[in-house]
Amino acid sequence: MTVIEKPASPAAPDRDDGGRGVGSLVFLAMTGLLIVLVGALLVIGIVGLLDDDDGGASAAGGESGGPTTLDVSLSEFAIDGELVAAPGDVSLFVTNDGTQDHNIVVRETGAQTPLLSAGEDATLALGSLEVGTYELYCSVAGHAESGMIAPLEVTASPAPTGEAAAGGTHDHNSPDFDSDAADAIMINSMLEFPAETEGKGNQILEPEILADGTKKFTLEASVIDWEVAPGQIVEAWAYNRQVPGPHIIVDVGDKVQVELTNNTPMGTDIHWHGIHTPNDQDGVSPYTQDPIKTGETYTYEFVADEPAIGMYHAHLHSQVSVVNGMFAAFRIGERPYPRGQTISGVTIPEDFEPDVELPMVLNDAGTIGLTLNGKSFPGTEPIVLETGDWVAADYYNEGLTAHPMHQHQFPQLVYAKDGIPLDHPYWADTINVSPGERYSVIFQAGDPGVWVWHCHILTHVERDTGMFGMVTALVVEDPATG
Ligand SMILES: [Cu+2]
């Protein structure tokens, strides 16, 4: 035993010693490298500071009447920079530090950089700016909505930190950070709900009944002004001057005609998403038809032979026209309510009928941006209910990203996916709706109160300037207490 142990015992220190020898060399080498690295970082840091000082110096130049050049950094998905300037000539030195293509547009003046690839930069001269707040954003579809939007403050007495604190930046470590101001911005934005806006989407479109019983629907596609939130007018691409476009509802077996006149600046077509049609009615130019050119009228014709909770939208140039508003709901037949079924202990009545039917069309891109039914909070429509009311809601995602739609307090019974009834409906409080998907839910308003209903990607509902986007609320009243 000792004989066996003995060789082992000295062997270990041997290896240890050897290790220490090599280790010392490695240690020396690593120390050397570290010194070089620290030195390099210090140099980079100093250069960085000098760069910052440069930025500060040119901003100060603005104060004294000279031109101001502000450094702006673009990334996924943010516009960064100290965006405060004195009145006078202002230029932006814009660098794309991200990995995708981005640009900068100044909403008020229309000035914009070209599309910048990763690593590219550009100088954008804005001319002489007066005191005010200017909005910078990236015009690549969906990027502004994802966070690439920032205010440029032109102020006679630039006080970046104070301004920033009042404007609600994240710099809560700044000694000037004003917590009450940040709270007030958010609270005041929330108290604006509900707010009136011009225009309402999803209006049910009445058909003309032709001699043979065909239901004929007439659509016009055009570019309109759309009030997406109070005072926020965008250029929308719309069917019948509404976003979402008119809701079409037909019965199973109906012969359907849809006549579309295209008054948009580009060729178009209509794809009947989730709806069974003959191939030549699928609305995919050039495969199944020629594009409907500007000024032309085209008629689709098919038999609504299967129930559907579908959508209709342009297929050609969809990345422009659909995200900008050319989308709508199309239902064939009754919704497949899970009548009489017991799901997780809750039995849905045999004679179930909803008190309120609600299309909930989601978008996040284009000119329309983060919206519910074409409106951004506080312009979103509240749903007024009495306790005990049942709601049948259909989610439709016409945007470019998924939205987990969360409802406070009342679980939602998911009974159909893309209009197809589920053998096993399920209750959920958050339903993730991806682009192109539809989920059909019912829920019952139990307790009175104001219960918010929103996308749970939190930057889709809040930004430094307050609540916006994909939020609405159920306003549940108890008829007994009022
Ligand atoms: Cu969302």
Side-chain angles (χ1 to χ4, degrees):
M1 293 287 278
T2 44
V3 176
I4 295 168
E5 275 181 358
K6 280 212 164 152
S9 189
D14 264 0
R15 275 199 304 271
D16 228 16
D17 282 345
R20 210 171 287 150
V22 174
S24 307
L25 283 176
V26 169
F27 178 75
L28 277 173
M30 291 295 283
T31 308
L33 258 177
L34 204 65
I35 289 167
V36 170
L37 264 174
V38 167
L41 283 173
L42 275 172
V43 169
I44 290 168
I46 289 164
V47 169
L49 281 174
L50 288 176
D51 266 3
D52 280 353
D53 284 345
D54 280 355
S58 39
E63 266 177 273
S64 60
T68 305
T69 300
L70 303 175
D71 290 329
V72 182
S73 167
L74 308 180
S75 59
E76 293 77 39
F77 290 97
I79 297 174
D80 292 309
E82 199 154 282
L83 300 172
V84 182
D89 280 344
V90 178
S91 288
L92 305 178
F93 180 70
V94 184
T95 308
N96 183 355
D97 294 315
T99 56
Q100 302 182 18
D101 290 355
H102 298 295
N103 72 352
I104 280 271
V105 183
V106 182
R107 192 176 300 282
E108 290 74 14
T109 68
Q112 57 181 290
T113 65
L115 202 59
L116 301 175
S117 301
E120 284 188 337
D121 55 51
T123 298
L124 182 62
L126 303 180
S128 183
L129 295 184
E130 292 175 3
V131 169
T133 302
Y134 299 80
E135 188 175 88
L136 308 182
Y137 68 99
C138 173
S139 70
V140 175
H143 288 195
E145 294 72 18
S146 301
M148 294 192 71
I149 191 160
L152 164 62
E153 301 286 351
V154 176
T155 164
S157 51
T161 28
E163 285 285 319
T169 73
H170 307 291
D171 191 12
H172 54 271
N173 291 318
S174 157
D176 297 327
F177 180 72
D178 186 340
S179 166
D180 289 339
D183 288 353
I185 287 168
M186 194 57 70
I187 298 298
N188 290 338
S189 74
M190 294 175 72
L191 292 175
E192 284 173 25
F193 179 81
E196 290 283 320
T197 54
E198 192 76 37
K200 179 173 161 55
N202 289 324
Q203 297 178 47
I204 292 175
L205 184 59
E206 294 301 332
E208 175 190 351
I209 310 294
L210 304 185
D212 68 349
T214 296
K215 290 180 176 169
K216 179 184 174 181
F217 298 90
T218 304
L219 295 176
E220 184 215 12
S222 63
V223 178
I224 63 164
D225 284 341
W226 182 252
E227 190 173 15
V228 74
Q232 190 187 339
I233 311 289
V234 299
E235 188 181 79
W237 292 47
Y239 293 119
N240 293 13
R241 309 188 68 78
Q242 51 184 291
V243 181
H247 194 175
I248 295 180
I249 303 172
V250 298
D251 298 320
V252 176
D254 279 348
K255 284 177 69 177
V256 176
Q257 267 188 26
V258 181
E259 182 187 271
L260 171 68
T261 299
N262 177 18
N263 287 327
T264 70
M266 293 201 281
T268 194
D269 47 21
I270 300 179
H271 170 58
W272 312 97
H273 183 111
I275 291 164
H276 187 243
T277 62
N279 182 249
D280 64 0
Q281 300 300 304
D282 196 39
V284 181
S285 51
Y287 301 139
T288 64
Q289 67 173 87
D290 292 330
I292 309 166
K293 305 290 282 181
T294 303
E296 288 181 355
T297 296
Y298 186 91
T299 301
Y300 293 90
E301 191 161 11
F302 53 88
V303 175
D305 55 0
E306 290 181 3
I309 298 172
M311 311 191 277
Y312 65 94
H313 50 223
H315 206 268
L316 188 68
H317 300 303
S318 57
Q319 53 98 11
V320 175
S321 51
V322 176
V323 295
N324 286 355
M326 278 170 62
F327 50 75
F330 193 122
R331 179 158 59 84
I332 301 173
E334 295 300 313
R335 294 184 188 82
Y337 299 123
R339 292 187 174 108
Q341 289 190 48
T342 300
I343 300 112
S344 302
V346 179
T347 301
I348 306 305
E350 286 286 355
D351 59 351
F352 174 85
E353 284 297 339
D355 300 286
V356 174
E357 298 178 53
L358 190 70
M360 180 61 90
V361 185
L362 316 178
N363 191 20
D364 47 51
T367 57
I368 304 296
L370 292 156
T371 48
L372 303 176
N373 290 331
K375 298 287 177 176
S376 170
F377 183 92
T380 46
E381 192 172 9
I383 296 100
V384 179
L385 303 169
E386 292 188 348
T387 49
D389 278 354
W390 280 92
V391 177
D394 301 313
Y395 294 106
Y396 307 79
N397 189 339
E398 288 279 16
L400 304 181
T401 193
H403 301 284
M405 293 300 296
H406 175 62
Q407 178 154 327
H408 288 211
Q409 192 76 354
F410 313 126
Q412 310 170 65
L413 179 60
V414 184
Y415 65 90
K417 163 72 167 74
D418 300 335
I420 301 162
L422 299 180
D423 288 339
H424 301 284
Y426 58 93
W427 294 95
D429 64 37
T430 307
I431 296 153
N432 197 38
V433 190
S434 282
E437 289 191 320
R438 283 90 64 220
Y439 285 88
S440 295
V441 304
I442 55 175
F443 61 84
Q444 188 173 29
D447 308 301
V450 176
W451 303 102
V452 293
W453 186 9
H454 61 93
C455 172
H456 216 288
I457 295 176
L458 303 177
T459 50
H460 291 183
V461 296
E462 279 186 346
R463 54 191 172 194
D464 289 344
T465 51
M467 186 165 274
F468 83 113
M470 308 181 82
V471 197
T472 186
L474 307 174
V475 181
V476 183
E477 292 161 348
D478 184 343
T481 60

